[in-house]
Amino acid sequence: MVDQYCGGRPSPARRIHLSPPDVGPTEEALVVAAMRSGWVAPAGPDLDAFEREVADRVGCGYAVGVSSGTAALHLALVAVGARPGTVVVVPTLTFVATANAVTYTGAEPVFVDCDPATGNVDVDLLPDLLDDLRRRGRRVAAVMAVDINGVCADYARLLPVCAAAGVPVVEDSAQALGSTYEGRHAGSFGRVGIFSFNGNKIMTTSSGGMLVSEDSVLISRVRRLSTQAREPVAHYEHRDIGYNYRLSNVLAALGRAQLRRLDGMIERRRALRERYAKLFASVPGTRILGDGDAGSNCWLTSLVVEPATAGWRAADLGEHLAAHDIETRPMFKPMHRQPAHLGRRAVVTGAADRLFASGISLPSGSTLLGADADRVFQVVEEFLVRHR
Ligand SMILES: Cc1ncc(COP(=O)(O)O)c(C=O)c1O
């Protein structure tokens, strides 16, 4: 029996990844039990239980397990009425799935910039944008919020702005399972929220996602659409165009094991975050993105570097770590700069561009412990000594 199934090779010189999966015997036991139960299908008791457990954890009435976070975003947008002729407001600093899901519906994404402190949507830009869209006669199907790196968007300010405009919020909490904001769980703020269980997320089903909502009618519709919109009759009858997006029962069993271990995995990521924060506290021209947010699940720790003050660039640190087989990643390239989304309307202040130019995500996984963690910090310290 091995203790870790990814990144578990014993060599001290192994490559250190940004955010690898953290799975072991608990996951193995539940997956094997699901297979032995005979429910090797996109339905079954583990899927039902996993949905219930995630809904309970998040404090939402209902949940639907699907094949990816992207599939969950697509269904969420369909459910709130995104379609050709409508507009969806999308934070420009995000992973491309947020914007792509909008285009799958035929709606038009309009990008908005971010708050430089957190990388989350800049709420100050929304009232004028929503007002302008209304005056032009555009129907806004949704405002999307992305909880970047596990830090929740500023919902205390965002929700009233969207409510006043009569526009639902779709919460892309792909990175934020287990995070809280003012005592409430990420995923529970919008009309509908989604999570990703991709291999690099805080917990994984290897690939998978979940959609959560308080709205039972919306959830029933999403569940039906996720299984090709099959009507409940003996033969195959379809009145709507559906999708093959359901999560499999075996992967749900993996998810149930991960959920049991979620708090421990968050604590380990938080310990790394605190260690990075301590190390960089005395380094001029650096800050941790979204630092000080006690509710964050600390999914990724990203460092923002002002080269004029620090005397070095984020990319220099990335190159130094890469030379020691340690993975890092630049911050997300904003959507309004992506060739696939060029030409879309974008309301920008330059904040996301600056974070892209100056941000670097550091190894943050919950498997990064002991000698491996020490190695990362030693290599970073070496770099800092050289650039003092
Ligand atoms: C913000 C964000 N939205 C959506 C997704 C898509 O999730 P998935 O990879 O499960 O499709 C991801 C991650 O991959 C993400 O980081």
Side-chain angles (χ1 to χ4, degrees):
M1 176 77 84
V2 286
D3 330 310
Q4 289 180 343
Y5 287 58
C6 178
R9 282 154 288 148
S11 159
R14 67 192 167 133
R15 179 161 170 75
I16 290 176
H17 293 276
L18 195 68
S19 180
D22 178 351
V23 296
T26 311
E27 285 75 9
E28 178 174 317
L30 266 69
V31 168
V32 169
M35 291 179 71
R36 289 190 180 147
S37 75
W39 288 100
V40 185
D46 283 296
L47 180 54
D48 296 343
F50 186 39
E51 289 177 343
R52 193 63 266 143
E53 287 160 7
V54 171
D56 289 348
R57 169 81 198 211
V58 174
C60 267
Y62 310 94
V64 182
V66 292
S67 53
S68 68
T70 309
L73 282 173
H74 184 190
L75 292 175
L77 288 163
V78 169
V80 297
R83 57 177 179 271
T86 67
V87 166
V88 176
V89 176
V90 181
T92 193
L93 191 82
T94 185
F95 180 60
V96 72
T98 320
N100 284 356
V102 175
T103 64
Y104 300 164
T105 68
E108 178 195 335
V110 171
F111 299 118
V112 279
D113 219 319
C114 65
D115 172 351
T118 59
N120 286 328
V121 62
D122 182 344
V123 179
D124 289 337
L125 300 175
L126 291 177
D128 283 354
L129 173 60
L130 292 173
D131 198 40
D132 179 69
L133 289 165
R134 185 186 52 77
R135 276 191 280 106
R136 288 167 193 257
R138 301 304 308 271
R139 187 180 170 281
V140 183
V143 169
M144 300 183 83
V146 184
D147 302 323
I148 286 286
N149 281 4
V151 172
C152 284
D154 187 358
Y155 290 108
R157 294 176 60 235
L158 176 73
L159 295 180
V161 167
C162 294
V167 176
V169 172
V170 170
E171 186 180 351
D172 181 346
S173 258
Q175 306 174 355
L177 183 67
S179 298
T180 56
Y181 173 91
E182 295 185 353
R184 263 172 76 183
H185 285 269
S188 70
F189 291 94
R191 168 112 189 269
V192 48
I194 74 95
F195 300 106
S196 164
F197 306 131
N198 198 342
N200 69 352
K201 291 298 182 290
I202 193 98
M203 63 165 254
T204 186
T205 57
S206 89
S207 177
M210 185 104 34
L211 185 146
V212 293
S213 180
E214 283 296 342
D215 183 337
S216 61
V217 176
L218 180 149
I219 286 285
S220 303
R221 178 151 178 251
V222 162
R223 186 167 276 128
R224 197 170 134 273
L225 288 174
S226 74
T227 49
Q228 301 286 22
R230 187 181 169 189
E231 296 298 327
V233 291
H235 65 277
Y236 286 128
E237 177 80 11
H238 308 270
R239 288 187 203 150
D240 296 308
I241 302 292
Y243 309 91
N244 181 10
Y245 278 172
R246 203 78 170 109
L247 183 67
S248 93
N249 190 65
V250 173
L251 296 187
L254 178 52
R256 294 186 73 194
Q258 289 269 278
L259 197 57
R260 288 182 196 172
R261 299 179 49 240
L262 178 63
D263 288 328
M265 294 194 287
I266 291 174
E267 277 326 301
R268 293 201 287 284
R269 287 190 190 245
R270 191 180 310 290
L272 279 175
R273 162 76 55 90
E274 283 164 7
R275 201 166 160 187
Y276 283 123
K278 203 164 155 203
L279 175 61
F280 285 104
S282 57
V283 181
T286 65
R287 67 181 172 96
I288 305 279
L289 186 71
D291 201 22
D293 183 294
S296 170
N297 66 2
C298 299
W299 173 58
L300 279 191
T301 295
S302 301
L303 185 73
V304 183
V305 182
E306 299 306 335
T309 314
W312 48 275
R313 298 167 311 137
D316 299 326
L317 176 60
E319 279 164 28
H320 181 77
L321 289 168
H324 290 80
D325 222 5
I326 298 171
E327 185 186 18
T328 61
R329 197 182 58 209
M331 281 299 296
F332 291 118
K333 181 173 178 178
M335 289 305 108
H336 70 279
R337 300 281 178 205
Q338 294 289 353
H341 289 287
L342 278 185
R344 301 290 191 184
R345 182 171 175 193
V347 179
V348 290
T349 59
D353 282 337
R354 283 191 291 278
L355 285 178
F356 174 51
S358 60
I360 180 170
S361 296
L362 302 169
S364 306
S366 46
T367 57
L368 184 56
L369 299 165
D372 281 346
D374 291 345
R375 192 177 122 214
V376 171
F377 282 87
Q378 201 185 328
V379 172
V380 173
E381 276 170 41
E382 253 171 49
F383 174 87
L384 294 174
V385 167
R386 255 194 237 172
H387 289 79
R388 207 168 265 160

